[in-house]
Amino acid sequence: MSLLGWLAHLFTRKRRRDISRLEADGDEISETVDLSGGPLKEHHRRLAIRDRRLLPKPKKILPKIGRGKRPKYMSFDEATRLFAGTLRTRNRELRDLATDEEQLARYNLPLWRTEEDVAAALGITVKKLRFFSTHREKELTPHYVTFAVRKRSGGERLIMAPKRRLKALQRQMLALLVERLPVSEHAHGFRRAHSVRSNAEPHVGKAVVVHLDIKDFFPSVTFARVRGMLIALGYSYPVAATLAAFMTESARQPVDVDGQLYHVPVSERHCVQGAPTSPALCNSILLRLDRRLSGLARKFGFTYTRYADDLSFSGDADHRTAHGLCVRAARIVEAEGFTVNATKTRIMGQGRRQTVTGVVVNQQLGLSRQERRRLRAMAHQLARQGPSADPAQVAYLRGKLAYLSMLNPVESEALRKPPMQ
């Protein structure tokens, strides 16, 4: 090799990684690694900054002199963690990504370069952090308690609640990171200063209201989605993967093997309903979906809001226009990796009751006439019973009236009777 060729090989921005031991199509036995540090994706601001310890090393041109020790690039524990199953990925373009500090500063997110930084922020050791953020195929002691609750529409909803120690750490993570993630202004669920009232208010008095529902909302927000979002926001691959594993879990099935009970995963890791971090994470994951749907709504002359998995549109148009909006919205939802629950899609004109997340929006915010009559009858009955009224029923009625007062104070005051005051 000539001197100029050797210098070009040493300082080039692209290196080639030998993949001859991997499965490859055709005769390809190497891949190019771009070291230019440009955008990770087209039109993105996140830079593809590489951890040079993981890059293919340039071959030495000069002959060896002696048998010196091989250079040590990382500790044994760090290497074991990086190449273990939890951090494994098929996308080799992601594995060697390092922290983009400018991107983190742009979103005002905490600067965590390594797992040690994350553990220090939580006030725990790295060993404890990895204990809660490792995916195990045979879990002896699961970190979540799983139970089912009945749905009003029938069936059961699976709740996976983290145990006490993990829940406390996830609440810390919620304050340190998750609540600071970017969220669309159209999202009203699980946000401070937002509620079902703020979600329903823009739809009051509209000619037509459209409701769509995302099927299997929390299970659709998988470990890979959370990891990808954190990488796009500037975190290195190891930190993003650790955080994603820390805030997700798989549905597990107990299996007895020779008298030993194992809890094995029967689904992908995903944001579970019951974890403190899941609602806000899902809001941030749906940022692009919210923006696309709000743009579609403006095109049709509609207003768009979202509360968790409930998508609401309203406008002064006819049913035909609303149906076209439904079709286009469902395509966008599917393009973003979610599925619309067709059985819950509704187009509501002013000739029927229009509801948004259970709130009537025909002329003003409030509860349905049937619900108000039921509460009035309960208030009248409890007022007649006086001091002997059931405290549980009194507390229930006060709660319902407080909820109605948030939506419509005038309707709430009309129903208040002693002993509820």
Side-chain angles (χ1 to χ4, degrees):
M1 180 181 292
S2 66
L3 177 62
L4 290 178
W6 176 73
L7 291 174
H9 174 79
L10 185 63
F11 296 104
T12 183
R13 284 189 167 187
K14 292 187 178 182
R15 299 184 187 176
R16 302 197 63 85
R17 178 186 284 121
D18 181 15
I19 58 172
S20 57
R21 290 181 297 174
L22 305 178
E23 295 182 4
D25 296 331
D27 297 328
E28 182 183 4
I29 59 171
S30 63
E31 63 183 5
T32 302
V33 182
D34 187 2
L35 304 180
S36 63
L40 183 60
K41 293 184 179 180
E42 189 178 2
H43 306 305
H44 282 213
R45 302 179 74 176
R46 207 283 191 205
L47 301 180
I49 302 173
R50 305 290 177 182
D51 185 345
R52 293 189 172 270
R53 299 176 302 171
L54 300 174
L55 296 177
K57 309 303 182 289
K59 294 182 180 180
K60 293 184 178 181
I61 306 303
L62 299 177
K64 285 187 178 181
I65 302 176
R67 293 178 57 87
K69 291 184 178 180
R70 298 180 62 182
K72 186 176 181 180
Y73 295 101
M74 61 179 64
S75 67
F76 176 78
D77 287 342
E78 187 179 4
T80 301
R81 174 67 170 175
L82 183 61
F83 295 99
T86 304
L87 271 62
R88 190 174 298 147
T89 177
R90 295 179 180 178
N91 189 342
R92 301 178 64 86
E93 293 295 318
L94 296 180
R95 181 165 216 145
D96 52 14
L97 284 177
T99 306
D100 185 348
E101 298 185 14
E102 292 185 2
Q103 179 79 334
L104 292 176
R106 194 173 291 124
Y107 287 98
N108 193 29
L109 297 177
L111 178 57
W112 295 333
R113 298 183 181 89
T114 62
E115 288 180 303
E116 286 77 6
D117 295 337
V118 179
L122 293 174
I124 59 176
T125 63
V126 175
K127 182 179 180 181
K128 180 65 70 173
L129 173 64
R130 290 175 179 174
F131 173 71
F132 288 120
S133 59
T134 296
H135 179 74
R136 301 175 180 86
E137 295 294 336
K138 296 188 295 183
E139 184 71 79
L140 293 175
T141 306
H143 300 307
Y144 292 78
V145 177
T146 305
F147 57 93
V149 296
R150 291 183 179 179
K151 297 181 181 180
R152 288 187 301 176
S153 57
E156 293 182 336
R157 176 179 287 109
L158 191 66
I159 304 297
M160 297 178 65
K163 294 181 180 178
R164 179 178 58 84
R165 182 57 176 153
L166 177 57
K167 180 179 287 187
L169 292 173
Q170 287 184 343
R171 283 174 175 164
Q172 286 182 253
M173 185 61 67
L174 178 66
L176 290 171
L177 172 67
V178 180
E179 288 183 337
R180 299 165 67 175
L181 296 176
V183 180
S184 166
E185 66 274 15
H186 303 286
H188 293 264
F190 318 116
R191 295 181 63 194
R192 293 178 181 177
H194 293 75
S195 63
V196 291
R197 177 188 174 90
S198 65
N199 182 64
E201 214 162 14
H203 306 288
V204 174
K206 298 297 179 66
V208 61
V209 176
V210 177
H211 173 265
L212 299 177
D213 180 87
I214 298 178
K215 186 177 181 180
D216 298 329
F217 179 52
F218 284 99
S220 298
V221 182
T222 61
F223 164 83
R225 283 177 182 259
V226 177
R227 183 187 63 190
M229 178 189 68
L230 294 173
I231 288 174
L233 293 174
Y235 286 107
S236 66
Y237 176 82
V239 170
T242 296
L243 291 173
F246 179 75
M247 296 183 288
T248 60
E249 175 59 310
S250 304
R252 292 182 178 271
Q253 176 71 37
V255 176
D256 187 288
V257 179
D258 297 330
Q260 177 65 59
L261 188 64
Y262 296 101
H263 299 267
V264 299
V266 293
S267 71
E268 289 186 86
R269 290 188 76 94
H270 59 271
C271 287
V272 297
Q273 195 164 358
T277 53
S278 291
L281 267 180
C282 293
N283 270 345
S284 189
I285 290 288
L286 266 65
L287 174 62
R288 189 171 68 173
L289 173 64
D290 287 335
R291 288 176 175 173
R292 294 185 66 181
L293 291 179
S294 65
L296 176 68
R298 285 194 302 271
K299 183 177 180 180
F300 278 78
F302 276 63
T303 300
Y304 165 74
T305 63
R306 180 180 60 82
Y307 193 97
D309 56 351
D310 292 325
L311 315 177
S312 301
F313 303 84
S314 65
D316 296 320
D318 54 21
H319 274 63
R320 183 175 181 178
T321 303
H323 179 72
L325 173 70
C326 281
V327 174
R328 296 283 295 276
R331 291 175 183 170
I332 292 177
V333 171
E334 291 178 2
E336 290 295 320
F338 297 92
T339 304
V340 171
N341 190 343
T343 61
K344 294 186 177 180
T345 299
R346 298 195 304 272
I347 300 177
M348 299 164 281
Q350 285 189 329
R352 56 173 292 189
R353 182 193 302 167
Q354 297 172 323
T355 60
V356 174
T357 56
V359 179
V360 177
V361 295
N362 287 73
Q363 299 299 328
Q364 59 184 2
L365 293 177
L367 299 178
S368 65
R369 185 179 291 110
Q370 291 81 356
E371 182 67 10
R372 296 200 309 273
R373 286 175 178 173
R374 188 180 70 84
L375 294 178
R376 184 181 294 110
M378 178 180 288
H380 177 71
Q381 182 181 13
L382 293 176
R384 291 184 59 184
Q385 294 176 3
S388 61
D390 184 359
Q393 290 188 352
V394 173
Y396 171 81
L397 181 58
R398 282 177 175 167
K400 295 293 288 187
L401 292 178
Y403 175 68
L404 179 58
S405 179
M406 176 191 68
L407 299 176
N408 193 321
V410 176
E411 289 184 355
S412 177
E413 286 299 323
L415 293 177
R416 288 184 179 274
K417 299 285 182 181
M420 273 59 65
Q421 291 181 345

